[in-house]
Amino acid sequence: MKKDSVTLIDNRTGKQVELDLLKPTCGPMTMDVRSLYKELGIFTYDPGFMATASCWSDITYLDGEKGILEYRGYPIEQLAEGSTYLETCYLLLHGELPSKEEYDEFEHSIKHHTMLHEQLLRFYSGFRRDSHPMAIMVGVVAALSAFYHDDEDIHDPQDRLAAAHRLIAKMPTIAAWSYRYAQGMPFVYPDNSLGFSENFLHMMFSMPTEKYTVDPLLAKALDVILILHADHEQNASTSTVRLAGSSQANPFAVIASGIASLWGPAHGGANEAVIKMLTEINESGKPLSSFIERAKDKNDRFRLMGFGHRVYKNHDPRAKIIREICHEMLAQDKCQNPVHQKLLDTAMELEKVALEDDYFKSRNLYPNVDFYSGIIFLGMGIPLNMFTVLFAVGRTVGWVSQWNEMMADPQSKIGRPRQLYTGAPTRDYVGIKKRS
Ligand code: SDX
């Protein structure tokens, strides 16, 4: 019997199988169940993948019990403190921090892919002005697959890298133009003299009629927020990207599927839902305790948005950093806004009350990345319906890095889960005339 293995015995037949335990760099040992169906004729059952490793990956490591998040081994706290979003993009894509030359070459490539094909501008006008920007982003990113398809070989590492650079570079342009379209304002083209986050704020807020200077403090806060959102292991949208990409589909269509998955309020859509929840609380005039009770009531669909996480059973390390940025930003006189301050005060009070409540403590429900991020976005002048769009801008590098890692693996297969069938047993067809 091998040391690193598990023996399963089927008590119906006494038949047993020895399954290898795969040893990770860090994290739990992982049982290799690939031979289980062949050996014992049984499936594993794990809806929501609560305890299932869907793949191997070298990119991001999470420890939910300790509240640890690392990109390619670097703690998120150190990257947020010392790196930039674009440098973090290089790290996630290539696995190592870049040299100065490597960084300059990468930055040059990204800067020279920020434009969209002029015909895509007309694509926007097909949307109603009040369309949710996430609907526009899903559509426009999927439409990019019509511009980059026939001459793309997803089995060529250089072609994959070109698609990755295009997506990282174009997402801020697509995002900002979704906002400008909704506002009835002219599209602002990227300015290659600006950094990644400065350029996004420039495309969002500058007007052709006057000079616009990006506030460096807001640009820095945005850059850190994008670092914090860049990747997060096999979350729902990344798993969507891997599954869609496993059929060897067009990478732009694949990333559009990730954007669609991120939009849900249980996932990336939570940042928008948090602000709606905090506003409802502030405008209701009711005590916080009434909302805490509602969140605990199984018969009430109300949840504490921004609270809880499938993996973190401790504080989400990103939430701690974002909360600090909230305080710093709202302390700056030009960002002071009594409504935003009230939202932050309510959020902090809610966190305090919830973390003292047995219901939340017993379920290890802590604030997650979405709990405070919306308050920062409001402070930047970014409207509510753009919050998840910004999450998608930050997460694009994680999606393309995970997609690229999967496509580069010669062992990768099309994802095709099985099921526990609970439907009708075999039965004969009866013509409608004979049916009662
Ligand atoms: C993101 O996976 C990732 O990494 C995602 C993400 C990323 O970077 O990609 O981190 C980004 O999506 C963060 C999560 C954003 N979503 C929200 O904030 C929405 C509110 N949170 C919940 O919907 C929930 O916590 C989830 C969806 C985040 C996690 O759900 P799970 O892991 O399936 O947990 P669960 O629903 O089974 O909850 C366990 C218990 C349940 O109660 P019991 O059945 O045990 O009695 O905790 C309760 C839940 O009812 N619970 C909550 C709650 N979250 C869980 N109760 C009140 N309020 C909440 N927010």
Side-chain angles (χ1 to χ4, degrees):
M1 196 160 300
K2 284 182 279 184
K3 187 171 70 65
D4 286 344
S5 69
V6 167
T7 301
L8 292 187
I9 299 171
D10 184 339
N11 292 324
R12 300 168 303 167
T13 61
K15 198 163 182 234
Q16 65 181 33
V17 62
E18 193 176 1
L19 299 174
D20 289 341
L21 282 176
L22 306 175
K23 185 167 174 40
T25 307
C26 29
M29 295 293 277
T30 301
M31 180 168 68
D32 185 345
V33 295
R34 284 176 289 183
S35 63
L36 189 60
Y37 181 59
K38 186 160 117 303
E39 297 290 334
L40 290 186
I42 57 178
F43 289 155
T44 59
Y45 181 65
D46 186 15
F49 310 114
M50 306 284 280
T52 292
S54 60
C55 62
W56 64 266
S57 180
D58 298 342
I59 300 174
T60 292
Y61 174 65
L62 303 188
D63 182 321
E65 281 65 39
K66 296 180 186 141
I68 289 172
L69 168 57
E70 295 173 350
Y71 293 161
R72 300 287 191 176
Y74 292 97
I76 194 67
E77 295 82 0
Q78 295 182 24
L79 292 170
E81 179 65 34
S83 187
T84 63
Y85 177 67
L86 219 43
E87 184 182 70
T88 301
C89 287
Y90 185 96
L91 171 67
L92 286 167
L93 263 178
H94 296 283
E96 298 296 336
L97 289 167
S99 64
K100 176 80 174 63
E101 295 70 31
E102 286 166 334
Y103 179 78
D104 291 347
E105 187 185 340
F106 179 66
E107 184 185 43
H108 181 272
S109 173
I110 297 298
K111 285 191 171 198
H112 291 81
H113 281 302
T114 51
M115 292 283 280
L116 297 183
H117 193 293
E118 280 293 301
Q119 279 180 251
L120 259 177
L121 271 65
R122 285 203 287 275
F123 199 86
Y124 280 83
S125 54
F127 290 95
R128 287 171 35 150
R129 290 281 178 183
D130 61 353
S131 302
H132 195 292
M134 280 300 281
I136 298 177
M137 179 175 257
V138 171
V140 174
V141 172
L144 285 174
S145 60
F147 290 82
Y148 305 105
H149 186 67
D150 298 330
D151 53 354
E152 300 281 304
D153 175 5
I154 56 172
H155 302 292
D156 176 338
Q158 289 312 311
D159 277 14
R160 289 202 301 272
L161 216 48
H165 287 195
R166 282 186 168 121
L167 279 156
I168 293 167
K170 294 180 193 310
M171 285 292 267
T173 309
I174 292 167
W177 288 6
S178 307
Y179 168 69
R180 302 288 287 200
Y181 178 74
Q183 299 294 314
M185 291 194 284
F187 290 165
V188 175
Y189 284 84
D191 174 350
N192 283 348
S193 69
L194 298 174
F196 188 92
S197 296
E198 286 87 350
N199 209 358
F200 175 73
L201 294 173
H202 155 71
M203 291 188 283
M204 280 284 288
F205 299 122
S206 71
M207 295 303 274
T209 50
E210 52 198 55
K211 183 159 175 41
Y212 173 79
T213 308
V214 176
D215 179 335
L217 290 173
L218 293 190
K220 173 63 181 162
L222 175 60
D223 213 60
V224 173
I225 295 272
L226 293 176
I227 290 174
L228 298 176
H229 285 77
D231 193 48
H232 212 240
E233 198 209 66
Q234 305 310 319
N235 57 85
S237 53
T238 298
S239 299
T240 302
V241 163
R242 279 183 174 260
L243 198 53
S246 72
S247 72
Q248 302 178 25
N250 177 290
F252 297 90
V254 165
I255 298 307
S257 72
I259 297 169
S261 172
L262 182 75
W263 193 2
H267 190 12
N271 52 20
E272 178 179 343
V274 167
I275 297 299
K276 287 178 178 170
M277 173 188 73
L278 295 173
T279 304
E280 180 191 351
I281 292 171
N282 285 349
E283 291 175 353
S284 70
K286 292 179 187 160
L288 270 186
S289 54
S290 67
F291 290 91
I292 295 281
E293 290 314 307
R294 282 185 60 195
K296 293 154 59 172
D297 178 357
K298 295 301 171 208
N299 301 316
D300 189 328
R301 284 179 55 82
F302 180 82
R303 282 282 177 279
L304 277 197
M305 299 315 282
F307 252 78
H309 198 277
R310 171 60 58 75
V311 175
Y312 289 123
K313 301 310 171 192
N314 195 324
H315 284 271
D316 181 333
R318 302 167 296 178
K320 286 188 202 171
I321 297 169
I322 291 176
R323 184 175 50 204
E324 285 316 306
I325 297 174
C326 262
H327 283 297
E328 289 160 16
M329 196 178 70
L330 292 179
Q332 293 156 30
D333 53 10
K334 53 176 154 312
C335 295
Q336 266 163 19
N337 176 316
V339 173
H340 301 165
Q341 187 60 53
K342 182 77 179 87
L343 290 171
L344 178 58
D345 295 344
T346 303
M348 290 179 61
E349 181 58 22
L350 200 56
E351 177 181 358
K352 183 173 170 297
V353 171
L355 297 188
E356 288 162 1
D357 184 294
D358 282 344
Y359 174 92
F360 293 89
K361 281 197 296 190
S362 64
R363 292 167 175 80
N364 297 307
L365 301 176
Y366 292 91
N368 58 50
V369 66
D370 294 307
F371 191 59
Y372 288 102
S373 53
I375 298 169
I376 294 181
F377 293 149
L378 286 178
M380 290 177 181
I382 292 166
L384 200 54
N385 64 6
M386 283 290 292
F387 290 3
T388 310
V389 168
L390 274 181
F391 194 145
V393 169
R395 185 54 56 88
T396 295
V397 64
W399 290 330
V400 294
S401 300
Q402 300 264 355
W403 166 77
N404 187 48
E405 180 178 70
M406 175 184 72
M407 297 308 294
D409 178 3
Q411 306 300 319
S412 79
K413 296 174 177 303
I414 188 166
R416 205 279 183 220
R418 300 303 305 273
Q419 64 178 7
L420 172 70
Y421 176 67
T422 53
T426 306
R427 51 184 169 166
D428 294 328
Y429 175 77
V430 176
I432 192 160
K433 292 191 175 64
K434 292 183 181 162
R435 271 176 258 152
S436 54

